[in-house]
Amino acid sequence: MTTINIFTENIFSNWKPDEKKIIKNTRKLLRYYLQELSAKSCLNGYKYNSLTLDILFTDSNKTHELNRDYRDKDKPADIITFAIFADDENRFVFDNDINLGEIVIAMDKVEDLTNKDVSFAKNREQELYFLISHGLMHLLGFDHRDEEEYNFVIGEQRKALEQINYDKI
């Protein structure tokens, strides 16, 4: 069984999510994706014993800075994913571990999306897991450059979220 290492850091002071619970549920989501999508993911053909990823909880000022500095987009984002393994042409496995990358989430945007009723999430925790599952898809090499890819990503997210009883969060 693959070991999944997830490291979290919260620099957003207005909301202290239960990081242990997030790590537990993120592992469940990633295990679902590994079971269902590994043959289509960036991991296909690679041998590894462990996967590592980071999640940073921050605010929209930080995602604006990252978006501007690394993506040439002068606006804040609810989520930014740095897919180290998926986006690197020279993918490497170090000590049988693959560093998938980092998911950066603007927690104030999570609250805004939930409060504005623009999301299908019932609460901010659901919105947070929706974003984490989306980030995981990017870390595994799935993008959404067109409508077909977008529908695939969102469809797989919904299936994965059902696995962790998303409606009960």
Side-chain angles (χ1 to χ4, degrees):
M1 177 174 277
T2 301
T3 301
I4 298 174
N5 304 303
I6 301 170
F7 301 97
T8 60
E9 181 180 5
N10 184 9
I11 59 174
F12 183 70
S13 59
N14 295 348
W15 177 17
K16 301 289 184 197
D18 183 342
E19 292 180 60
K20 287 183 180 182
K21 181 180 175 185
I22 289 169
I23 290 169
K24 178 183 171 187
N25 286 326
T26 301
R27 276 193 183 105
K28 287 181 182 178
L29 287 166
L30 185 52
R31 287 199 191 288
Y32 171 84
Y33 289 138
L34 292 174
Q35 179 181 343
E36 299 298 320
L37 301 173
S38 64
K40 297 177 184 178
S41 79
C42 65
L43 299 173
N44 188 31
Y46 290 89
K47 293 182 181 182
Y48 54 90
N49 293 330
S50 62
L51 298 171
T52 301
L53 66 106
D54 297 294
I55 303 173
L56 174 64
F57 304 110
T58 189
D59 62 22
S60 55
N61 291 330
K62 183 67 173 174
T63 62
H64 188 173
E65 176 186 322
L66 292 170
N67 230 358
R68 184 185 60 240
D69 294 350
Y70 295 99
R71 301 178 70 220
D72 294 324
K73 295 182 179 183
D74 193 18
K75 63 181 182 178
D78 52 359
I79 181 172
I80 296 176
T81 307
F82 293 101
I84 294 171
F85 190 77
D87 291 347
D88 190 347
E89 293 175 8
N90 303 311
R91 295 177 180 160
F92 66 94
V93 180
F94 183 73
D95 286 342
N96 291 315
D97 178 72
I98 293 177
N99 184 343
L100 291 174
E102 183 173 25
I103 299 170
V104 181
I105 298 176
M107 301 297 272
D108 53 338
K109 298 283 265 179
V110 171
E111 290 182 328
D112 286 349
L113 289 169
T114 306
N115 291 334
K116 291 180 180 171
D117 221 17
V118 295
S119 170
F120 68 87
K122 296 175 187 168
N123 57 53
R124 67 184 186 178
E125 285 79 16
Q126 285 186 351
E127 184 66 29
L128 179 60
Y129 283 113
F130 182 80
L131 291 174
I132 290 171
S133 69
H134 192 79
L136 290 173
M137 290 290 289
H138 284 297
L139 292 182
L140 293 172
F142 297 99
D143 284 317
H144 44 80
R145 294 183 199 106
D146 59 36
E147 188 175 344
E148 182 179 339
E149 288 178 354
Y150 176 80
N151 290 336
F152 173 78
V153 167
I154 298 301
E156 290 302 322
Q157 280 183 249
R158 288 189 174 146
K159 290 177 194 174
L161 289 164
E162 287 174 9
Q163 298 301 307
I164 64 165
N165 293 318
Y166 177 72
D167 288 335
K168 294 183 175 49
I169 293 174

